[in-house]
Amino acid sequence: MPLRPFFLALLGLGWTLAVAGGGAAAAADLASYKASYTVKTATIRKGSPFVAVTGAMTYATEKACDGWVTHQEMTLSMAAVDGSVVQQDFSLSSWESFDGGRYRFVVRSRVDDEEETFRGRALLSGPAGGGEAIYSEPENHTFPLPANTLFPMRQTAMIIDRAGKERGHVPHVTFDGTDGGGVHEAVVYIGQRIEALPEVADPLLARPGWLVRLSYYSPDEPALAPEYEVEALQLDNGLAPRLILDYQDFSAQMILEKLEPLPEPHC
């Protein structure tokens, strides 16, 4: 049972379609860093085909001279009720312009012995305009992008900007290229603000943040239940030290094991 991978630029989550103007992406002071997580079972729900899930993930985002360079790798091992184990490996490398208008990506996904690669680019006509996503692998095809589509790093900056102003639910449309399709509809709930803990020594973690929950829906298959959800403690620098992935049949906890800052570019 393959699972749709998620893109960890939701480590910053994003948003408001109404305020997705040119200045919003620059409002958040996002950090360059590399984080390593272990993945452990949190909840197995009644009727789930799985009994346990384990894995690991690394995520790195780095400010370059012309945009953000991001790389994510995740491995999941899902033990099924019948005794079999489903192995899913996923990687995504991307570049996104600082203004959130251009995006390039390469996605590789493997479920047991089946492999997929998606490669392409996307372009928006302006800060609130539409555009298109152009895939070159596995075959050439194009998807339209509606107005106010958010690429991952713009999504990150936007949620931090919005969270600093108010709480509540914010719907939005996002594109990351991870499944070879078009956009996904999402809703984020911005919850309680959490102040920085004075006893935390690491400057990347000694930041205020918010409790958030992000739900992803497929626009092609409208449903009451989302495809998956993410709960996070979202810090104001784009880092999420606590994460829970909820795939409806089960949920998995992501535990931060290692964190290191990445250098600023010399432009």
Side-chain angles (χ1 to χ4, degrees), residues 4-5 143 146 172-176 178-187 214-229 248:
R4 183 184 185 273
F143 284 95
H172 57 287
V173 178
T174 184
F175 175 82
D176 56 26
T178 56
D179 60 2
V183 298
H184 275 77
E185 296 178 358
V187 176
L214 179 66
S215 303
Y216 277 100
Y217 299 83
S218 172
D220 298 325
E221 298 178 7
L224 295 177
E227 288 186 296
Y228 73 94
E229 297 180 285
Q248 307 309 319

Side-chain angles (χ1 to χ4, degrees), residues 7 70-74 90-94 103-108 152 176-178:
F7 185 64
T70 300
H71 186 70
Q72 177 185 342
E73 292 187 356
M74 184 165 67
F90 166 79
S91 71
L92 183 147
S93 297
S94 67
Y103 178 62
R104 298 193 299 266
F105 58 92
V106 179
V107 180
R108 294 184 173 88
D176 56 26
T178 56

Side-chain angles (χ1 to χ4, degrees), residues 111-136:
V111 180
D112 291 336
D113 295 328
E114 297 183 11
E115 296 186 22
E116 288 184 301
T117 298
F118 303 114
R119 185 188 304 268
R121 56 190 174 89
L123 178 68
L124 300 175
S125 61
E132 62 180 3
I134 305 168
Y135 285 85
S136 58

Side-chain angles (χ1 to χ4, degrees), residues 24-267:
D29 186 12
L30 303 181
S32 295
Y33 66 91
K34 181 178 180 180
S36 300
Y37 297 80
T38 57
V39 182
K40 295 183 179 180
T41 306
T43 303
I44 300 294
R45 295 188 175 88
K46 184 177 180 180
S48 172
F50 302 112
V51 295
V53 57
T54 57
M57 186 185 73
T58 59
Y59 174 82
T61 184
E62 188 171 4
K63 186 179 182 180
C65 293
D66 58 351
W68 289 97
V69 177
T70 300
H71 186 70
Q72 177 185 342
E73 292 187 356
M74 184 165 67
T75 297
L76 291 178
S77 294
M78 294 163 284
V81 174
D82 63 6
S84 63
V85 176
V86 178
Q87 184 77 20
Q88 179 166 342
D89 302 306
F90 166 79
S91 71
L92 183 147
S93 297
S94 67
W95 171 90
E96 183 178 330
S97 62
F98 289 131
D99 65 0
R102 292 171 293 157
Y103 178 62
R104 298 193 299 266
F105 58 92
V106 179
V107 180
R108 294 184 173 88
S109 179
R110 180 187 179 98
V111 180
D112 291 336
D113 295 328
E114 297 183 11
E115 296 186 22
E116 288 184 301
T117 298
F118 303 114
R119 185 188 304 268
R121 56 190 174 89
L123 178 68
L124 300 175
S125 61
E132 62 180 3
I134 305 168
Y135 285 85
S136 58
E137 192 176 350
E139 60 185 10
N140 294 325
H141 62 284
T142 302
F143 284 95
L145 301 178
N148 296 307
T149 295
L150 300 177
F151 299 141
M153 292 304 293
R154 186 174 182 85
Q155 187 185 28
T156 299
M158 290 295 291
I159 189 174
I160 294 172
D161 183 63
R162 180 59 176 263
K165 300 173 183 177
E166 61 184 286
R167 295 169 60 181
H169 292 85
V170 184
H172 57 287
V173 178
T174 184
F175 175 82
D176 56 26
T178 56
D179 60 2
V183 298
H184 275 77
E185 296 178 358
V187 176
V188 62
Y189 175 75
I190 302 170
Q192 179 184 357
R193 177 180 169 90
I194 305 296
E195 299 300 330
L197 298 176
E199 64 270 22
V200 176
D202 192 324
L204 284 172
L205 295 174
R207 307 289 305 183
W210 302 267
L211 299 178
V212 301
R213 186 175 183 91
L214 179 66
S215 303
Y216 277 100
Y217 299 83
S218 172
D220 298 325
E221 298 178 7
L224 295 177
E227 288 186 296
Y228 73 94
E229 297 180 285
V230 182
E231 292 184 6
L233 169 58
Q234 173 57 62
L235 303 185
D236 68 349
N237 61 356
L239 178 63
R242 298 204 302 266
L243 284 163
I244 295 179
L245 311 184
D246 191 337
Y247 282 107
Q248 307 309 319
D249 287 328
F250 68 89
S251 63
Q253 182 180 8
M254 303 189 67
I255 303 168
L256 181 64
E257 300 287 357
K258 185 178 180 181
L259 179 65
E260 58 183 294
L262 297 178
E264 292 292 309
H266 298 287
C267 303

